[in-house]
Amino acid sequence: MHDGSGRIEVRQLSKNFGSVQAVANLSFTVEPGSVTGFLGPNGAGKTTTLRMILGLVTPSEGTATINGLPHDKLGHPARVVGSVLENEGFHPKRTARNHLKVYAAAIGVPDRRVEDVLAAVGLTEAGDRHAGGFSLGMRQRLALATALLGDPQVLVLDEPANGLDPEGIAWLRTFLRDFAKQGRTVLVSSHLLAEVEQTIDQVVIISHGQTMYYGQLDDLRNAQRPRVLVLPSNQDALSTALREEQISEIEPADNGRLAVMNTSARQVGDIALRAGVAIYGLEERHADLENLFFQLTSGQYAAAAPQQYGAPHGMPYGTQPSAPYGAPPGAPYEAPPGTPYGPPPGTPYGAPPHGGYGPPQDGWSQQGTVPQPQGQQPYQQDEGNTGWEGQR
Amino acid sequence: MGRSALMGKLVKAEFRKILSTKLWWGLLIVALLVAGSWAGMLSSVFDGIAAELSGSEVMRLAGLELDEISFSVVFLTRAINIATIFPMLFGGLAIASELGRKTITTSFLTAPNRTMLLGAKGITYAIWGAIYGIAIILAATLGIVIGTGGDHLVGFTTWLATAAAGVLSCVLWTLLGLGVGALIGSPVGTVIVLLVYGLALGPISDLVFTGFAEGDANVAGALPNGAANGLTGSTAADTLAAEIQANATGMSSVSSDLLEGFQDTARLAAGGLGSFGLFASAAIFLAWAMLFLALGLWRTQSRDIT
C-alpha cells in the first residue's frame, strides 16, 4: 500500500532509447503542497521523465515513485495521480462525455463525476461533441478533466499551456495554485520559464537529460545578484582601482566588458573617474531568471560538453552541503559561495496551511475546492469501503 | 477492493469503449451479410444441382437419396468459416487501435497494471466473440432456410453441435486477433496481416499441405486456420459421412468405392482439410489463441508508450 504522502521521488533515473540517452542519472523530489516546475529545452528529456514517473516508459536504470511506489503498484493509480500528457489520447469519434464515462468506469467512480469534471474545465456544453472536432485548447481541457476523474492527490502535466489561449493559461495557473494549496502535489513541465514562473514554487531544470538546478525558485532568483556591466578604456586599471576600494568580485564579460558584483553603477563610475579610466558603457543588471535559465540549459546545443556542469553521478540532490555545479563557461554568473544548489537545509517546502496533507483516510479532499459541486458528499479517498461504492 | 471487483470495472470500461464508437456495429453488419448471403447462395446453387442429380445413375448405384442427407450443414460451416474474419479483425483492433490513437496512455494510467488491463480486454472480447458467433450462426441459418426454400434443413442436433463449434471458433479467432494486434501494435499492420493470413495464406497452405498428405490429417490441421476449420468442419463432415453410410442402402462392391469418395468429398466440402478431428482441433486452436495472447501480453508489458 502506498504511503499517501503525495511525494514524487526520482532516483538516479536513466533511459536509453537504443544508443540515444534521453535521460541521464536524474534525481529530484517533488513535495506536496507546492507546484514544481520541470523545465528544460525541447528534447531535454522532460516528457520521457514524466512518462517514467507514470509507468508508461520503463527506466533503463533508477526508480521513479509516487507515494513511495512505482505506478503499477499503486493499486488505484488514477486516484493517486492524474496527468495531462501530449494532445493525443482521444478517439476522434467518441464524444467527450463518453470518453470520460469510459475512464470513470475503469477508475470506479460514478457517472455523475463525469459531469463534475466537465463543469470544472468548462466543457459541459461541448460534452456531446466528438473529441476529433475539438480545438487544441479544448483537448487540453478534456485531458485535464480526465486527469481529475479520480480526484487525485498528485497532478502531472506535460506542457499544459500548449494550445491554451491567454485566458486559459491564467485559469490553469489559478487552478494549479489552488490544487497545491490543498496540500496536493503538482509537477508541471515547460520549455519556457516565463510561462510557469508565476505558478511554481520549486523548480527542476534539466538539460540534455541531466539536472542543471533543483531547488526553490526564490533561491535561484537570489543566487543571481545584481551586477554592473562596464566597458572601460583600460580593464586592468579599472580592476586595480576597484580592488583598492574592496570591490574584488570582478569577471570578464562579453564585448570587452567587466561584470562587477556587490556595487552600483554610480560607485563604479566614481571610482573610474578617480582612476582616470574612461567609461564607454555602464549598465546595472538585476536578476533575470529567463537569462539564467537560458545559460543553464544552453549547453545542450553548444559545443562545450554538457557534462561539465552535469549532475554528480550517484549523488542524491539536496543532501550535499554544496553541490559542485560550476557556472557555464564564459557566463557572467557565479554561484555565491555557500549557496548550494538544492533546497537549503531546514527550508520547508511550503508547509500545507491546514495541518497538511494527511493519509487518505483523513479526508484531505474535504478541504478542497476542486470539482466538488455543492450539495454532494465530498469524495473521500479510501481503499476500503467508504469510496464511491459506499455512497451508491 | 478485490481483484475481481477491479476486473469488473475494467471490463465495464472496455464495454463502454466498444459501444461508444461504431466499429462493432459496422463489422457485425458486414459479418451478418457475408454469413447470410454466403450460406444462402451456396445452398441455393447446391439445391438446384441436387434436384438435377436426384434419381441419376450415380445416385442409384450408390443407393443414395440426396433428400435424406443434410448437406446444408456444409454451407453452415463454410459461412461460419468465412465470417470469422470479422470477429478476428474486431479482436485485432482491440489494442492496436488504442495504440494507434494513443488512448492506450489513459487506459494504462487508469488500470492497476497492464496485465489486468489485458485480462479485462480478453474477457470483454471473448464475450464479444461469442456475440459475433451467435449472430453469424443465426444469419447463416437464415441464409440456408432462404437458399433451400426450407427443403434441406440441418438436423437439430447437428445444427446445435455446429453452432456451438462456430461460437467457440469466433471466440478463439477474436482472442487470436487480440493477441496479434497487441503483438504488432499498428492497426493497419494488424488488419493486413490478419486478412492476408485468414483469406489467402491460411487456406492456401491448408490446401498445399493436404495435397502432399493426400487428404490425411497433416500439418495443415495443426496450423491456426486448419485447426479452426477442423473445429467447425469436423461435426459437419462426420454427420454427413454417417448419413451417407446409413443411407447407402444399395451397397455393392462398385458403390463401396463410390461411397468412400462421397465421404471424402463431404469432409473436403465441410472444410477442415487435414484436420485431426473435433476435440483435437479445438485444443490446437485454443493453444494458438493462447500463444498469441501470451505474446501480445509480453509485448504490451515491455512496450514504452512515448
Side-chain angles (χ1 to χ4, degrees):
Chain A
M1 194 50 64
H2 62 81
D3 63 16
S5 63
R7 186 176 289 114
I8 300 173
E9 280 191 79
V10 170
R11 288 283 163 266
Q12 293 158 38
L13 201 59
S14 298
K15 179 66 185 181
N16 304 318
F17 291 109
S19 62
V20 180
Q21 189 166 44
V23 174
N25 202 38
L26 212 57
S27 298
F28 60 88
T29 307
V30 180
E31 297 290 343
S34 68
V35 180
T36 300
F38 189 44
L39 298 169
N42 289 327
K46 299 189 299 292
T47 297
T48 304
T49 303
L50 295 185
R51 284 176 175 269
M52 284 194 276
I53 292 171
L54 295 167
L56 295 169
V57 169
T58 310
S60 301
E61 276 173 63
T63 57
T65 60
I66 303 171
N67 286 0
L69 289 176
H71 191 274
D72 65 351
K73 299 283 188 296
L74 287 172
H76 301 81
R79 296 179 185 225
V80 175
V81 56
S83 51
V84 176
L85 298 175
E86 74 205 292
N87 246 311
E88 286 297 329
F90 311 110
H91 191 295
K93 296 289 185 193
R94 194 176 280 140
T95 66
R97 192 168 265 114
N98 279 335
H99 167 84
L100 291 169
K101 278 185 178 170
V102 165
Y103 294 108
I107 299 166
V109 294
D111 287 351
R112 65 180 150 81
R113 182 80 190 143
V114 168
E115 300 306 319
D116 297 354
V117 296
L118 276 174
V121 302
L123 280 182
T124 305
E125 300 289 310
D128 288 327
R129 282 170 52 189
H130 289 164
F134 275 14
S135 68
L136 202 56
M138 288 170 88
R139 291 161 73 92
Q140 285 292 60
R141 285 168 186 267
L142 182 55
L144 183 60
T146 314
L148 294 174
L149 270 176
D151 197 13
Q153 185 179 357
V154 178
L155 262 189
V156 173
L157 306 98
D158 195 7
E159 302 271 358
N162 279 357
L164 287 183
D165 50 24
E167 192 193 0
I169 291 174
W171 172 83
L172 183 68
R173 187 172 287 159
T174 313
F175 178 85
L176 295 181
R177 291 234 56 99
D178 286 348
F179 193 88
K181 262 184 215 150
Q182 296 161 37
R184 307 197 206 192
T185 313
V186 179
L187 179 61
V188 54
S189 84
S190 179
H191 63 285
L192 293 171
L193 178 62
E195 200 173 70
V196 292
E197 194 183 334
Q198 291 161 15
T199 316
I200 62 179
D201 317 294
Q202 251 204 143
V203 65
V204 179
I205 297 175
I206 68 167
S207 179
H208 216 82
Q210 299 179 320
T211 314
M212 295 290 117
Y213 177 87
Y214 157 49
Q216 299 292 97
L217 189 60
D218 284 342
D219 292 341
L220 184 64
R221 217 177 253 127
N222 296 338
Q224 199 191 29
R225 295 156 303 154
R227 72 203 53 217
V228 173
L229 289 175
V230 56
L231 181 59
S233 58
N234 185 333
Q235 286 196 359
D236 291 342
L238 182 61
S239 295
T240 310
L242 286 167
R243 288 205 171 88
E244 280 167 8
E245 302 285 337
Q246 310 304 317
I247 298 168
S248 55
E249 282 186 62
I250 306 164
E251 288 173 5
D254 53 347
N255 298 326
R257 295 189 291 183
L258 290 175
V260 190
M261 258 62 73
N262 290 334
T263 183
S264 65
R266 187 191 181 104
Q267 194 180 11
V268 171
D270 289 347
I271 292 169
L273 180 63
R274 285 200 293 276
V277 177
I279 299 287
Y280 306 133
L282 190 60
E283 183 186 355
E284 278 191 21
R285 279 278 176 87
H286 296 283
D288 179 355
L289 278 180
E290 198 63 52
N291 189 33
L292 182 60
F293 173 60
F294 181 73
Q295 285 166 16
L296 283 171
T297 57
S298 61
Q300 179 163 3
Y301 303 109
Q307 271 73 13
Q308 202 166 347
Y309 41 103
H313 286 258
M315 207 88 73
Y317 286 77
T319 57
Q320 278 186 277
S322 70
Y325 294 126
Y333 164 74
E334 184 187 275
T339 303
Y341 285 92
T347 304
Y349 289 100
H354 304 297
Y357 186 85
Q361 59 268 30
D362 289 350
W364 50 272
S365 66
Q366 291 179 7
Q367 307 162 2
T369 56
V370 198
Q372 290 297 343
Q374 307 235 326
Q376 283 186 6
Q377 274 194 296
Y379 163 50
Q380 196 170 17
Q381 180 165 13
D382 199 309
E383 304 303 324
N385 52 11
T386 58
W388 291 111
E389 285 71 36
Q391 296 170 20
R392 265 202 278 241
Chain B
M1 203 179 312
R3 279 178 78 86
S4 61
L6 284 172
M7 197 59 113
K9 285 170 186 176
L10 294 177
V11 169
K12 186 179 173 188
E14 290 301 323
F15 264 85
R16 285 184 170 185
K17 266 179 211 168
I18 291 167
L19 291 171
S20 59
T21 55
K22 291 175 184 163
L23 182 70
W24 72 273
W25 177 235
L27 280 177
L28 188 61
I29 289 282
V30 182
L32 294 183
L33 286 176
V34 166
S37 59
W38 195 250
M41 203 171 60
L42 286 179
S43 58
S44 165
V45 167
F46 196 83
D47 205 42
I49 295 172
E52 294 294 320
L53 284 181
S54 263
S56 71
E57 188 75 5
V58 180
M59 290 296 140
R60 251 188 307 115
L61 268 177
L64 281 175
E65 197 56 59
L66 275 177
D67 282 350
E68 300 296 313
I69 297 165
S70 43
F71 54 78
S72 295
V73 73
V74 169
F75 310 126
L76 187 60
T77 64
R78 280 302 185 182
I80 292 168
N81 287 354
I82 188 86
T84 49
I85 294 284
F86 299 99
M88 173 186 76
L89 289 178
F90 186 64
L93 289 171
I95 286 171
S97 71
E98 281 224 59
L99 283 164
R101 299 199 188 284
K102 303 205 171 180
T103 52
I104 197 76
T105 307
T106 317
S107 297
F108 280 165
L109 291 175
T110 51
N113 55 58
R114 297 183 183 188
T115 307
M116 284 191 73
L117 181 73
L118 246 73
K121 278 208 190 283
I123 292 169
T124 308
Y125 278 82
I127 295 169
W128 274 94
I131 293 171
Y132 268 83
I134 292 166
I136 285 168
I137 281 151
L138 292 178
T141 306
L142 184 68
I144 288 169
V145 170
I146 295 170
T148 62
D151 287 344
H152 298 102
L153 296 182
V154 180
F156 182 70
T157 44
T158 306
W159 181 86
L160 202 63
T162 308
V167 172
L168 181 61
S169 174
C170 282
V171 169
L172 294 179
W173 271 120
T174 310
L175 293 179
L176 187 135
L178 178 76
V180 170
L183 191 60
I184 294 175
S186 121
V188 176
T190 302
V191 168
I192 289 173
V193 165
L194 287 177
L195 280 183
V196 165
Y197 181 75
L199 291 176
L201 207 59
I204 290 169
S205 69
D206 288 355
L207 270 176
V208 169
F209 284 125
T210 308
F212 282 127
E214 294 178 339
D216 293 335
N218 63 75
V219 66
L223 295 173
N225 194 64
N229 289 346
L231 170 59
T232 50
S234 290
T235 306
D238 291 349
T239 306
L240 278 187
E243 283 179 352
I244 290 167
Q245 182 89 51
N247 247 280
T249 44
M251 188 81 75
S252 69
S253 59
V254 182
S255 67
S256 168
D257 282 349
L258 199 60
L259 186 68
E260 224 166 87
F262 268 117
Q263 287 179 338
D264 281 352
T265 311
R267 283 210 171 81
L268 187 77
L273 290 170
S275 110
F276 289 94
L278 178 65
F279 294 103
S281 294
I284 293 167
F285 193 36
L286 176 72
W288 277 111
M290 292 304 122
L291 173 69
F292 278 103
L293 264 189
L295 287 173
L297 177 64
W298 164 78
R299 183 69 190 92
T300 304
Q301 289 288 7
S302 61
R303 207 181 274 279
D304 280 339
I305 310 299
T306 52

